[in-house]
Amino acid sequence: MTEDIRQQPQYTTLRAIEDRKMQLLREIRRDNEKINKLRRQLFAKPEPLKKGHRMQALMTTGAGMLDGALLAWKLYRKFRK
C-alpha cells in the first residue's frame, strides 16, 4: 500500500513543468473571475424603486403602522380595567 492513490504526472523537462504551471495559472485566474462575478451579483445594490412602487411601499408601511397603533389602543383599553 505504498502506492500513492492519486497519479502524479511525470515531468521530464523544464518545459513540461512550465506548461503545466501556465495551465494551472490560467485555471486559477478563470476561477477567480467566476468568483468575483458571483460576489458582485450577491452584493449588488438593488435597483431604485420606480415612483409607483415607492408610493406602494409607503402605503404598505403606513397601513402597518396604523394597524399596530390600533392594536396597541385595543390592548391598552382591555388591560386598563
Side-chain angles (χ1 to χ4, degrees):
M1 291 293 264
T2 59
E3 263 184 67
D4 189 14
I5 296 175
R6 297 179 302 182
Q7 293 181 349
Q8 298 293 328
Q10 298 296 322
Y11 299 111
T12 55
T13 63
L14 287 176
R15 180 69 183 161
I17 294 172
E18 289 174 354
D19 290 342
R20 178 68 177 149
K21 179 182 173 184
M22 294 304 291
Q23 179 187 4
L24 290 173
L25 185 60
R26 281 193 300 269
E27 290 175 8
I28 290 171
R29 286 183 178 157
R30 191 176 325 121
D31 290 342
N32 193 26
E33 287 176 10
K34 287 180 186 177
I35 290 170
N36 286 336
K37 181 179 177 183
L38 291 173
R39 184 176 47 220
R40 281 192 299 271
Q41 289 176 353
L42 181 63
F43 294 110
K45 292 182 180 179
E47 294 181 11
L49 295 176
K50 294 181 181 175
K51 190 173 184 177
H53 294 282
R54 201 174 313 140
M55 186 62 128
Q56 179 184 3
L58 181 63
M59 293 294 288
T60 303
T61 303
M65 291 175 65
L66 178 63
D67 187 43
L70 288 174
L71 176 65
W73 178 251
K74 286 179 182 181
L75 289 174
Y76 171 75
R77 284 184 26 209
K78 181 178 183 177
F79 291 112
R80 185 179 65 177
K81 295 179 184 180

